[in-house]
Amino acid sequence: MFPDPPAASSKAISSFLKEDRSFPPPAAFQARAAINSVSEYERLWNYAAEQPERFWAEQAESLLSWTRRWDRVLDWQIPHAKWFVGAKLNVSYNCVDRHLTTWRKNKAAIIWEGEAGETRVLTYNDLHREVCRCANTLKSLGIKKCDRVTIYMPLVPELAIAMLACARIGATHNVVFGGFSAEAIADRNNDAQARLVITADGGWRRGGLVPLKQNVDAALLKSPTVEKVLVLRRTGQEVTMQEGRDVWWHDTVDKASLDCPAEPLDSEHPLFLLYTSGSTGKPKGILHTTAGYLLHATLTSKLVFDLKDDDTYWCTADVGWVTGHSYVVYGPLANGATTLMYEGAPNHPDWGRFWQIVERHRVNILYTAPTAIRAIARQGSDIPARYDLTSLRLLGTVGEPINPETWMWYRDVIGGGRCPIVDTWWQTETGGIMIAPLPGATPTIPGSATRPFFGIVPDIVDIHGKSVEADQGGFLVIKKPWPGMLRTIWGDDERFKTQYWSQIPGVYFTGDGARRDQNGYYWIMGRIDDVLNVSGHRLSTMEIESALVSHPAVAEAAVVGAPHDLKGESIHAFVTLEASMSASSELKSVLAVHVVAQIGALARPESIYFTEALPKTRSGKIMRRLLRDIAAGRESRGDTTTLEDYSVLAKLRDSEET
Ligand code: WTA
């Protein structure tokens, strides 16, 4: 049986079915594109599917610099892959050093704009200098190859510098999104056994200060493995520096030696951990390694964004998410591109900010999230109309399904009807883009991520792993290993196996529902597990439930998502209180604040319902489907016969909502 898809998705499916608009690549775009016809796409896709090792070896040879060549392209002991076995290379070298011997040495690597409007440009030469200094500082702080380093920083160039410095010496970075709370930092520090935290005094968000160092201080009370903290002065706000533990960036990095050769590392050396939500238990540390990840990020950046040397490329993602890793930092820099970073919020000082940045820096390629597009579109088309957006030549989206209306708005209002849109489907676990149009080749249809990238062999299957017919919904799986795939869950290989490789034996289980149409186009329907997609960010219902239950007033909690115009999904919590506690609106606020303190502001419930009991099956499983209906304000669809206590449902409907 195909499980209940989130309500938002089932609505999307019906509108997808009506979609018959199709847009071929504009001729002017096609003329310059690296891959410029459907037949060329199909030829290469078939070649990569039939001879993946040959395909990837050729790409590895032409795109990356190696200090030692591989003995074998792939060692595949399902579910464990090793790519480019025996080879050595360095990611930081590939992203920085190798451009220094070319004309790119003085090309802008990073163009940065702060929230207040100040800008900085780092050429590849500048970047090299900073990365070397930072890497030497890491060494002087005792960090060695294989140590884990947590990075909790605002979106400033030093964040990319810190990542590249770790990669340079073989330390494994663990970037924690700056919106996460002290609790979340501590969890990640402990799971990763991090020895060092790199942070800043604070960051700017909508004109306010985010107390990053203070959060780290609180986290370190519960992070026994962390020995040192490296602190960048960003805002100048007051912070406490603990003697012997905390050092300033300007006292160390700025004074460090420029000489730091990149260490040749094994192709499977752990490059980074990135924690993401799964349907059960604590966040999972997704492990990505060196060569395969870099190759996947590099090739997809080059072809999906059709990167050219004269492009100014802007991916608006925070580097705290995988999109920022692969498509702000590693993919673009490995290609020698100019990547733009913007520190702040899209609505600061007003909703024109993105377009002001596009105009100011003459951005050519813009890659953002549907939630941002929806929020901006809602403010009216007259805002973008005030800016000169004619520099744009390509638009991209990622993170959640994009509704066709939003897609059309993006195309017409932002792209002036001139720019192809690449709707890119992928995951933290996949490392890089998996399903997306190639903008000079693939005709696009609003709402579809279109067709798989080279070397990626997806399928839509039923619960038994059998391929379903065209236009039937099913589970999206990937049938062959690919270079950027996660290698394991840090410290929990069993979970890696059960979560991704056991539901349907022999294939990678994405956790997304999808369908494939008659033309082989993929339509992603959203998560089929208990993971919410709020503003393009994955949150597990389980984590929010655990946060609620950790409050002494709460006996039991169930969290579900409901469709939300801007965020995609919003969070609704059903809470049963301890017998001694009574419901009140103050308590609702207290619980909301508690969730924010445990996880971060993005987990704040949209509403909290107090209830005497939760609807459960006789076997004790919470019937989330019913809760979803209530949260969405719908009549219950479907079967309630397994419900243990019918009266619960009626009581829930009567319970007051905030
Ligand atoms: C969803 C973000 C529809 C999907 C790169 C996936 C999408 C989850 C798309 C991964 C898209 C991502 N269309 N859905 N173009 N891109 N998703 O790990 O449910 O933060 O499984 O990686 O986002 O989220 P993650």
Side-chain angles (χ1 to χ4, degrees), residues 6-48:
S9 318
S10 42
K11 214 175 94 199
I13 296 165
S14 50
S15 60
F16 286 168
L17 287 174
K18 286 192 248 96
E19 189 56 65
D20 50 13
R21 290 167 288 201
S22 170
F23 299 93
F29 191 98
Q30 198 162 24
R32 281 187 77 202
I35 308 284
N36 60 10
S37 68
V38 172
S39 57
E40 178 66 356
Y41 160 76
E42 287 177 348
R43 186 185 70 77
L44 276 167
W45 190 84
N46 286 326
Y47 170 54

Short mmCIF file of all heavy atoms in Angstrom, two decimals, residues 6-48:
data_model
loop_
_atom_site.label_atom_id
_atom_site.label_comp_id
_atom_site.label_asym_id
_atom_site.label_seq_id
_atom_site.Cartn_x
_atom_site.Cartn_y
_atom_site.Cartn_z
N PRO A 6 1.70 13.49 2.40
CA PRO A 6 1.27 14.69 3.10
C PRO A 6 0.17 15.38 2.31
O PRO A 6 0.16 15.34 1.07
CB PRO A 6 2.54 15.55 3.13
CG PRO A 6 3.66 14.62 2.90
CD PRO A 6 3.12 13.48 2.11
N ALA A 7 -0.72 16.01 3.06
CA ALA A 7 -1.90 16.59 2.43
C ALA A 7 -1.53 17.57 1.32
O ALA A 7 -2.16 17.60 0.27
CB ALA A 7 -2.74 17.28 3.48
N ALA A 8 -0.48 18.33 1.53
CA ALA A 8 -0.09 19.34 0.54
C ALA A 8 0.18 18.69 -0.80
O ALA A 8 -0.18 19.21 -1.86
CB ALA A 8 1.17 20.07 0.99
N SER A 9 0.77 17.51 -0.74
CA SER A 9 1.17 16.88 -1.97
C SER A 9 -0.01 16.32 -2.73
O SER A 9 -0.05 16.36 -3.95
CB SER A 9 2.14 15.75 -1.69
OG SER A 9 3.03 16.15 -0.72
N SER A 10 -0.99 15.78 -1.98
CA SER A 10 -2.08 15.19 -2.72
C SER A 10 -2.83 16.26 -3.49
O SER A 10 -3.33 16.04 -4.58
CB SER A 10 -3.01 14.40 -1.80
OG SER A 10 -3.23 15.12 -0.62
N LYS A 11 -2.84 17.47 -2.92
CA LYS A 11 -3.46 18.57 -3.65
C LYS A 11 -2.64 18.89 -4.90
O LYS A 11 -3.18 19.08 -5.98
CB LYS A 11 -3.50 19.81 -2.75
CG LYS A 11 -4.72 20.65 -2.98
CD LYS A 11 -4.79 21.79 -2.00
CE LYS A 11 -4.17 23.05 -2.55
NZ LYS A 11 -3.83 24.02 -1.54
N ALA A 12 -1.33 18.87 -4.72
CA ALA A 12 -0.46 19.21 -5.84
C ALA A 12 -0.63 18.23 -6.99
O ALA A 12 -0.59 18.61 -8.14
CB ALA A 12 0.98 19.23 -5.37
N ILE A 13 -0.84 16.96 -6.66
CA ILE A 13 -0.92 15.98 -7.73
C ILE A 13 -2.04 16.30 -8.71
O ILE A 13 -1.84 16.28 -9.91
CB ILE A 13 -1.17 14.56 -7.16
CG1 ILE A 13 0.02 14.14 -6.32
CG2 ILE A 13 -1.36 13.55 -8.29
CD1 ILE A 13 -0.29 12.96 -5.47
N SER A 14 -3.21 16.67 -8.16
CA SER A 14 -4.30 16.91 -9.07
C SER A 14 -4.00 18.09 -9.99
O SER A 14 -4.32 18.06 -11.17
CB SER A 14 -5.61 17.12 -8.31
OG SER A 14 -5.38 18.08 -7.31
N SER A 15 -3.31 19.11 -9.45
CA SER A 15 -3.03 20.23 -10.36
C SER A 15 -1.93 19.86 -11.35
O SER A 15 -1.94 20.31 -12.48
CB SER A 15 -2.70 21.50 -9.58
OG SER A 15 -1.58 21.29 -8.78
N PHE A 16 -0.99 19.03 -10.92
CA PHE A 16 0.04 18.58 -11.85
C PHE A 16 -0.61 17.87 -13.04
O PHE A 16 -0.18 18.02 -14.17
CB PHE A 16 0.98 17.56 -11.19
CG PHE A 16 1.94 18.16 -10.21
CD1 PHE A 16 2.67 17.35 -9.37
CD2 PHE A 16 2.12 19.52 -10.13
CE1 PHE A 16 3.56 17.89 -8.46
CE2 PHE A 16 3.01 20.07 -9.23
CZ PHE A 16 3.73 19.24 -8.39
N LEU A 17 -1.62 17.09 -12.75
CA LEU A 17 -2.22 16.28 -13.80
C LEU A 17 -2.78 17.16 -14.91
O LEU A 17 -2.84 16.76 -16.06
CB LEU A 17 -3.31 15.38 -13.23
CG LEU A 17 -2.79 14.20 -12.41
CD1 LEU A 17 -3.93 13.45 -11.76
CD2 LEU A 17 -1.96 13.26 -13.28
N LYS A 18 -3.18 18.37 -14.53
CA LYS A 18 -3.77 19.25 -15.53
C LYS A 18 -2.70 20.02 -16.31
O LYS A 18 -3.01 20.70 -17.27
CB LYS A 18 -4.71 20.24 -14.85
CG LYS A 18 -6.01 19.61 -14.39
CD LYS A 18 -7.00 20.71 -14.00
CE LYS A 18 -7.29 20.74 -12.52
NZ LYS A 18 -6.55 21.64 -11.69
N GLU A 19 -1.46 19.89 -15.89
CA GLU A 19 -0.42 20.75 -16.44
C GLU A 19 -0.05 20.34 -17.86
O GLU A 19 0.40 19.24 -18.09
CB GLU A 19 0.82 20.69 -15.54
CG GLU A 19 1.87 21.70 -15.90
CD GLU A 19 1.33 23.11 -15.88
OE1 GLU A 19 0.94 23.59 -14.82
OE2 GLU A 19 1.30 23.75 -16.95
N ASP A 20 -0.26 21.23 -18.81
CA ASP A 20 0.15 20.88 -20.17
C ASP A 20 1.00 21.96 -20.82
O ASP A 20 1.29 21.92 -22.00
CB ASP A 20 -1.07 20.54 -21.04
CG ASP A 20 -2.13 21.62 -20.95
OD1 ASP A 20 -1.82 22.71 -20.42
OD2 ASP A 20 -3.26 21.38 -21.40
N ARG A 21 1.45 22.94 -20.02
CA ARG A 21 2.36 23.94 -20.59
C ARG A 21 3.76 23.34 -20.66
O ARG A 21 4.20 22.69 -19.72
CB ARG A 21 2.40 25.18 -19.68
CG ARG A 21 1.12 25.97 -19.70
CD ARG A 21 1.07 26.99 -18.58
NE ARG A 21 0.88 26.35 -17.29
CZ ARG A 21 0.42 26.98 -16.21
NH1 ARG A 21 0.11 28.25 -16.26
NH2 ARG A 21 0.28 26.33 -15.06
N SER A 22 4.41 23.56 -21.76
CA SER A 22 5.78 23.05 -21.89
C SER A 22 6.63 24.13 -22.53
O SER A 22 6.17 24.83 -23.43
CB SER A 22 5.76 21.79 -22.75
OG SER A 22 7.07 21.43 -23.08
N PHE A 23 7.85 24.29 -22.03
CA PHE A 23 8.72 25.36 -22.53
C PHE A 23 10.03 24.80 -23.04
O PHE A 23 10.85 24.30 -22.24
CB PHE A 23 8.97 26.38 -21.42
CG PHE A 23 7.71 27.03 -20.94
CD1 PHE A 23 7.02 26.51 -19.85
CD2 PHE A 23 7.18 28.13 -21.61
CE1 PHE A 23 5.82 27.09 -19.42
CE2 PHE A 23 5.99 28.71 -21.19
CZ PHE A 23 5.31 28.19 -20.09
N PRO A 24 10.25 24.83 -24.32
CA PRO A 24 11.55 24.39 -24.85
C PRO A 24 12.62 25.39 -24.43
O PRO A 24 12.31 26.54 -24.12
CB PRO A 24 11.35 24.41 -26.37
CG PRO A 24 10.22 25.34 -26.61
CD PRO A 24 9.37 25.37 -25.37
N PRO A 25 13.89 24.96 -24.43
CA PRO A 25 14.94 25.92 -24.07
C PRO A 25 14.93 27.09 -25.06
O PRO A 25 14.81 26.87 -26.26
CB PRO A 25 16.24 25.12 -24.23
CG PRO A 25 15.83 23.70 -24.31
CD PRO A 25 14.42 23.64 -24.78
N PRO A 26 15.06 28.32 -24.55
CA PRO A 26 15.11 29.46 -25.47
C PRO A 26 16.32 29.33 -26.41
O PRO A 26 17.40 28.89 -25.97
CB PRO A 26 15.29 30.66 -24.54
CG PRO A 26 14.97 30.17 -23.18
CD PRO A 26 15.19 28.71 -23.15
N ALA A 27 16.13 29.70 -27.67
CA ALA A 27 17.18 29.50 -28.68
C ALA A 27 18.49 30.16 -28.29
O ALA A 27 19.58 29.59 -28.45
CB ALA A 27 16.69 30.02 -30.03
N ALA A 28 18.40 31.38 -27.72
CA ALA A 28 19.63 32.11 -27.38
C ALA A 28 20.40 31.37 -26.29
O ALA A 28 21.63 31.34 -26.29
CB ALA A 28 19.28 33.52 -26.91
N PHE A 29 19.67 30.77 -25.37
CA PHE A 29 20.31 30.02 -24.29
C PHE A 29 20.95 28.76 -24.86
O PHE A 29 22.11 28.43 -24.58
CB PHE A 29 19.28 29.67 -23.21
CG PHE A 29 19.92 29.13 -21.96
CD1 PHE A 29 20.14 29.95 -20.88
CD2 PHE A 29 20.33 27.80 -21.90
CE1 PHE A 29 20.75 29.47 -19.73
CE2 PHE A 29 20.95 27.31 -20.76
CZ PHE A 29 21.16 28.14 -19.67
N GLN A 30 20.17 28.09 -25.66
CA GLN A 30 20.60 26.83 -26.24
C GLN A 30 21.89 26.98 -27.05
O GLN A 30 22.78 26.14 -26.99
CB GLN A 30 19.48 26.34 -27.15
CG GLN A 30 19.54 24.89 -27.50
CD GLN A 30 18.19 24.41 -28.03
OE1 GLN A 30 17.40 25.22 -28.54
NE2 GLN A 30 17.93 23.14 -27.91
N ALA A 31 21.99 28.09 -27.73
CA ALA A 31 23.13 28.30 -28.62
C ALA A 31 24.46 28.25 -27.87
O ALA A 31 25.47 27.83 -28.43
CB ALA A 31 22.96 29.64 -29.35
N ARG A 32 24.45 28.68 -26.60
CA ARG A 32 25.70 28.71 -25.83
C ARG A 32 25.84 27.53 -24.87
O ARG A 32 26.85 27.41 -24.18
CB ARG A 32 25.76 29.99 -24.99
CG ARG A 32 26.14 31.25 -25.73
CD ARG A 32 26.31 32.39 -24.71
NE ARG A 32 27.57 32.32 -23.97
CZ ARG A 32 27.79 32.90 -22.78
NH1 ARG A 32 26.83 33.59 -22.19
NH2 ARG A 32 28.96 32.79 -22.17
N ALA A 33 24.80 26.71 -24.75
CA ALA A 33 24.76 25.72 -23.67
C ALA A 33 25.70 24.54 -23.91
O ALA A 33 25.95 24.14 -25.05
CB ALA A 33 23.34 25.22 -23.49
N ALA A 34 26.19 23.99 -22.79
CA ALA A 34 27.11 22.85 -22.87
C ALA A 34 26.41 21.62 -23.45
O ALA A 34 26.97 20.91 -24.28
CB ALA A 34 27.67 22.55 -21.48
N ILE A 35 25.21 21.36 -22.98
CA ILE A 35 24.41 20.26 -23.54
C ILE A 35 23.21 20.94 -24.17
O ILE A 35 22.42 21.58 -23.48
CB ILE A 35 23.92 19.30 -22.42
CG1 ILE A 35 25.08 18.83 -21.53
CG2 ILE A 35 23.15 18.12 -23.02
CD1 ILE A 35 25.98 17.79 -22.11
N ASN A 36 23.08 20.80 -25.49
CA ASN A 36 22.09 21.66 -26.14
C ASN A 36 21.03 20.96 -26.98
O ASN A 36 20.40 21.57 -27.82
CB ASN A 36 22.79 22.75 -26.95
CG ASN A 36 23.68 22.15 -28.02
OD1 ASN A 36 23.62 20.94 -28.25
ND2 ASN A 36 24.48 22.97 -28.66
N SER A 37 20.84 19.66 -26.73
CA SER A 37 19.71 19.01 -27.39
C SER A 37 19.26 17.81 -26.57
O SER A 37 20.04 17.25 -25.79
CB SER A 37 20.09 18.55 -28.80
OG SER A 37 21.03 17.49 -28.69
N VAL A 38 18.01 17.44 -26.76
CA VAL A 38 17.47 16.27 -26.06
C VAL A 38 18.25 15.03 -26.50
O VAL A 38 18.56 14.15 -25.69
CB VAL A 38 15.96 16.11 -26.34
CG1 VAL A 38 15.43 14.79 -25.78
CG2 VAL A 38 15.20 17.29 -25.74
N SER A 39 18.60 14.97 -27.77
CA SER A 39 19.29 13.76 -28.24
C SER A 39 20.68 13.64 -27.60
O SER A 39 21.10 12.54 -27.25
CB SER A 39 19.38 13.73 -29.77
OG SER A 39 20.02 14.88 -30.21
N GLU A 40 21.34 14.77 -27.40
CA GLU A 40 22.65 14.73 -26.73
C GLU A 40 22.47 14.31 -25.26
O GLU A 40 23.25 13.50 -24.74
CB GLU A 40 23.30 16.12 -26.82
CG GLU A 40 24.65 16.28 -26.14
CD GLU A 40 25.77 15.45 -26.76
OE1 GLU A 40 25.50 14.67 -27.70
OE2 GLU A 40 26.91 15.55 -26.26
N TYR A 41 21.45 14.85 -24.62
CA TYR A 41 21.15 14.44 -23.24
C TYR A 41 20.91 12.93 -23.20
O TYR A 41 21.48 12.21 -22.37
CB TYR A 41 19.93 15.19 -22.69
CG TYR A 41 19.30 14.49 -21.51
CD1 TYR A 41 19.89 14.55 -20.24
CD2 TYR A 41 18.14 13.72 -21.66
CE1 TYR A 41 19.34 13.86 -19.16
CE2 TYR A 41 17.59 13.03 -20.59
CZ TYR A 41 18.20 13.10 -19.34
OH TYR A 41 17.66 12.40 -18.28
N GLU A 42 20.08 12.44 -24.09
CA GLU A 42 19.72 11.02 -24.05
C GLU A 42 20.92 10.13 -24.38
O GLU A 42 21.10 9.08 -23.79
CB GLU A 42 18.55 10.73 -25.00
CG GLU A 42 17.26 11.29 -24.41
CD GLU A 42 16.04 11.14 -25.29
OE1 GLU A 42 16.21 10.80 -26.50
OE2 GLU A 42 14.92 11.37 -24.78
N ARG A 43 21.72 10.59 -25.31
CA ARG A 43 22.92 9.81 -25.66
C ARG A 43 23.82 9.66 -24.43
O ARG A 43 24.22 8.56 -24.06
CB ARG A 43 23.68 10.50 -26.79
CG ARG A 43 24.85 9.70 -27.34
CD ARG A 43 25.66 10.48 -28.38
NE ARG A 43 26.41 11.60 -27.80
CZ ARG A 43 27.54 11.50 -27.12
NH1 ARG A 43 28.07 10.30 -26.89
NH2 ARG A 43 28.15 12.56 -26.64
N LEU A 44 24.07 10.77 -23.77
CA LEU A 44 24.95 10.72 -22.61
C LEU A 44 24.32 9.99 -21.43
O LEU A 44 24.99 9.28 -20.68
CB LEU A 44 25.35 12.14 -22.19
CG LEU A 44 26.53 12.71 -22.97
CD1 LEU A 44 26.66 14.21 -22.73
CD2 LEU A 44 27.83 12.01 -22.55
N TRP A 45 23.02 10.17 -21.25
CA TRP A 45 22.35 9.50 -20.14
C TRP A 45 22.43 7.98 -20.33
O TRP A 45 22.75 7.25 -19.41
CB TRP A 45 20.89 9.96 -19.99
CG TRP A 45 20.31 9.43 -18.71
CD1 TRP A 45 20.43 10.01 -17.48
CD2 TRP A 45 19.62 8.21 -18.51
NE1 TRP A 45 19.84 9.22 -16.52
CE2 TRP A 45 19.33 8.11 -17.13
CE3 TRP A 45 19.20 7.18 -19.36
CZ2 TRP A 45 18.64 7.02 -16.58
CZ3 TRP A 45 18.52 6.09 -18.81
CH2 TRP A 45 18.25 6.02 -17.43
N ASN A 46 22.15 7.53 -21.55
CA ASN A 46 22.20 6.09 -21.83
C ASN A 46 23.62 5.55 -21.66
O ASN A 46 23.83 4.48 -21.10
CB ASN A 46 21.71 5.79 -23.25
CG ASN A 46 20.20 5.94 -23.33
OD1 ASN A 46 19.49 5.65 -22.36
ND2 ASN A 46 19.70 6.43 -24.46
N TYR A 47 24.57 6.33 -22.13
CA TYR A 47 25.97 5.92 -21.99
C TYR A 47 26.33 5.77 -20.51
O TYR A 47 26.90 4.75 -20.08
CB TYR A 47 26.86 6.97 -22.68
CG TYR A 47 28.34 6.81 -22.43
CD1 TYR A 47 28.99 5.60 -22.68
CD2 TYR A 47 29.10 7.89 -21.95
CE1 TYR A 47 30.36 5.47 -22.44
CE2 TYR A 47 30.46 7.76 -21.72
CZ TYR A 47 31.09 6.55 -21.96
OH TYR A 47 32.43 6.43 -21.73
N ALA A 48 25.97 6.78 -19.70
CA ALA A 48 26.29 6.74 -18.27
C ALA A 48 25.54 5.61 -17.56
O ALA A 48 26.05 5.02 -16.61
CB ALA A 48 25.98 8.08 -17.62
#
